Amino acid sequence: MCKINRSPCCIKTKRSNLWFALLLGLAVMSGLPTAVQADMNVATWNIYGGRSAPDKRYDALFNILQPLKPHVIALQEVDEPFLHRAVQQPALGNHKAVSTPDCLQGGLAFLVNLPVMHRYCLDLPGPLGRKALFVEVKKKGQNWLFVTLHLESFLEDGPWRQKQLAKIKPLFQRYPAPHKVLLGDFNFGDAEHKTAAVLASFQLLDIWRLRHPGQPGFSWDRTRNYMADRNSFDQEPSRRLDRILLKSSTMQPKHITLLGTQSIGAAALPWQTLFPSDHFGLFAQFAE
């Protein structure tokens, strides 16, 4: 694994995908938030890549993440210029960019500061060519599987989101890691009951619901985030689009919070306000 700025890319080739798929097949057969002490610190953020004053937004995003000391950062709507910039940030320490060519084309990547064991890009059904990025890391002798996704976007695309989750489910469930995390931009809110039922069949801990029962947790918030309101579909409500979900027999969620909820200044016009992204990010911590 390499820093993206020291080689053409730290992104593995399709040959790596095939190797990972073989391994998986064998396994199948056989304000600024503050961090607390934890065994694993995890963030996810749809960064609204490349648009609306990206330099200013990215600097704000890096400054928000730095004090949290995340081991793993899942990113959606990311591109290679962002990753080049990210791995050069002193705020992110020794993080390296991890993706594959196909998944990076689909806007998915991780920033990690742990040894990466395997990675795999899964093609998902649907008209937008969505992907899911599987990455296995090791920390203190224990393996963790992280899967980030960015599901179909349009309000009427519930059936596609259900099919996409159904494609991910068997690989996720059968992967032989003791700790597994599904996270990213699911592109549906809690009121989309049929899709939520498919996700519930994974039998994962929904960290936000566990730690903040009764709180909406809107990561797409038209009231608080001008950029979300500007980019919303007609009649789209505020929704909890982004999630962090855990499967582990020993790790417990200790904390979760929204990121980037404060304006970082004016946008193009005086009545517009700029945020780190049109999505709020999420940060969670797990410990035994």
Side-chain angles (χ1 to χ4, degrees), residues 66-171:
Q66 188 274 332
L68 302 176
K69 302 185 185 307
H71 301 102
V72 176
I73 305 167
L75 299 166
Q76 305 86 46
E77 294 195 23
V78 73
D79 56 19
E80 197 163 338
F82 173 89
L83 295 180
H84 275 286
R85 181 167 182 166
V87 298
Q88 295 171 4
Q89 295 296 314
L92 292 180
N94 295 319
H95 284 75
K96 299 174 179 65
V98 182
S99 191
T100 72
D102 287 346
C103 267
L104 184 58
Q105 187 175 11
L108 298 178
F110 284 96
L111 295 172
V112 302
N113 65 0
L114 299 169
V116 173
M117 312 308 292
H118 307 295
R119 70 200 76 191
Y120 177 62
C121 188
L122 177 67
D123 291 327
L124 300 180
L128 296 180
R130 300 297 198 187
K131 316 288 183 184
L133 177 58
F134 289 62
V135 170
E136 182 184 358
V137 303
K138 185 181 288 288
K139 186 173 189 289
K140 295 183 178 179
Q142 298 190 59
N143 288 26
W144 290 72
L145 174 68
F146 290 89
V147 180
T148 191
L149 46 72
H150 186 193
L151 299 184
E152 216 74 11
S153 298
F154 295 103
L155 296 176
E156 64 272 19
D157 283 341
W160 280 119
R161 288 186 282 272
Q162 294 158 35
K163 292 176 182 177
Q164 290 168 345
L165 288 170
K167 181 78 176 287
I168 295 167
K169 181 179 176 181
L171 301 183

Side-chain angles (χ1 to χ4, degrees), residues 1-284:
M1 185 176 58
C2 56
K3 286 262 187 177
I4 195 167
N5 57 312
R6 292 183 183 171
S7 72
C9 209
C10 71
I11 299 160
K12 295 295 183 180
T13 65
K14 290 186 177 180
R15 181 178 298 175
S16 298
N17 273 2
L18 292 173
W19 189 92
F20 186 97
L22 176 61
L23 174 72
L24 190 57
L26 292 173
V28 168
M29 291 186 293
S30 55
L32 288 184
T34 56
V36 299
Q37 189 66 29
D39 294 305
M40 182 65 78
N41 296 339
V42 180
T44 182
W45 214 329
N46 181 324
I47 66 164
Y48 191 51
R51 293 161 286 180
S52 297
D55 290 346
K56 185 174 182 178
R57 293 193 299 102
Y58 295 166
D59 285 343
L61 187 149
F62 297 140
N63 288 335
I64 290 168
L65 289 171
Q66 188 274 332
L68 302 176
K69 302 185 185 307
H71 301 102
V72 176
I73 305 167
L75 299 166
Q76 305 86 46
E77 294 195 23
V78 73
D79 56 19
E80 197 163 338
F82 173 89
L83 295 180
H84 275 286
R85 181 167 182 166
V87 298
Q88 295 171 4
Q89 295 296 314
L92 292 180
N94 295 319
H95 284 75
K96 299 174 179 65
V98 182
S99 191
T100 72
D102 287 346
C103 267
L104 184 58
Q105 187 175 11
L108 298 178
F110 284 96
L111 295 172
V112 302
N113 65 0
L114 299 169
V116 173
M117 312 308 292
H118 307 295
R119 70 200 76 191
Y120 177 62
C121 188
L122 177 67
D123 291 327
L124 300 180
L128 296 180
R130 300 297 198 187
K131 316 288 183 184
L133 177 58
F134 289 62
V135 170
E136 182 184 358
V137 303
K138 185 181 288 288
K139 186 173 189 289
K140 295 183 178 179
Q142 298 190 59
N143 288 26
W144 290 72
L145 174 68
F146 290 89
V147 180
T148 191
L149 46 72
H150 186 193
L151 299 184
E152 216 74 11
S153 298
F154 295 103
L155 296 176
E156 64 272 19
D157 283 341
W160 280 119
R161 288 186 282 272
Q162 294 158 35
K163 292 176 182 177
Q164 290 168 345
L165 288 170
K167 181 78 176 287
I168 295 167
K169 181 179 176 181
L171 301 183
F172 183 87
Q173 290 192 320
R174 295 170 183 168
Y175 194 87
H179 317 298
K180 295 186 266 192
V181 181
L182 183 65
L183 71 173
D185 180 357
F186 290 73
N187 259 326
F188 69 91
D190 295 317
E192 191 173 306
H193 299 300
K194 290 184 179 180
T195 311
V198 176
L199 183 58
S201 73
F202 281 62
Q203 297 183 319
L204 307 176
L205 290 177
D206 186 326
I207 311 308
W208 183 269
R209 283 188 161 180
L210 185 68
R211 301 301 300 179
H212 301 293
Q215 296 186 27
F218 294 149
S219 57
W220 185 261
D221 195 326
R222 297 190 64 174
T223 301
R224 300 168 65 190
N225 188 334
Y226 166 79
M227 293 171 60
D229 187 56
R230 181 190 65 188
N231 294 335
S232 289
F233 301 118
D234 290 342
Q235 307 303 313
E236 181 180 5
S238 297
R239 296 182 291 164
R240 188 170 72 105
L241 299 184
D242 303 85
R243 296 168 173 83
I244 300 177
L245 308 169
L246 172 69
K247 179 75 170 183
S248 174
S249 60
T250 59
M251 292 290 170
Q252 296 296 321
K254 299 299 182 182
H255 173 75
I256 188 168
T257 190
L258 292 167
L259 303 176
T261 60
Q262 301 298 317
S263 168
I264 59 172
L269 297 172
W271 61 86
Q272 300 174 342
T273 52
L274 199 65
F275 284 78
S277 175
D278 54 355
H279 286 247
F280 296 150
L282 283 171
F283 173 73

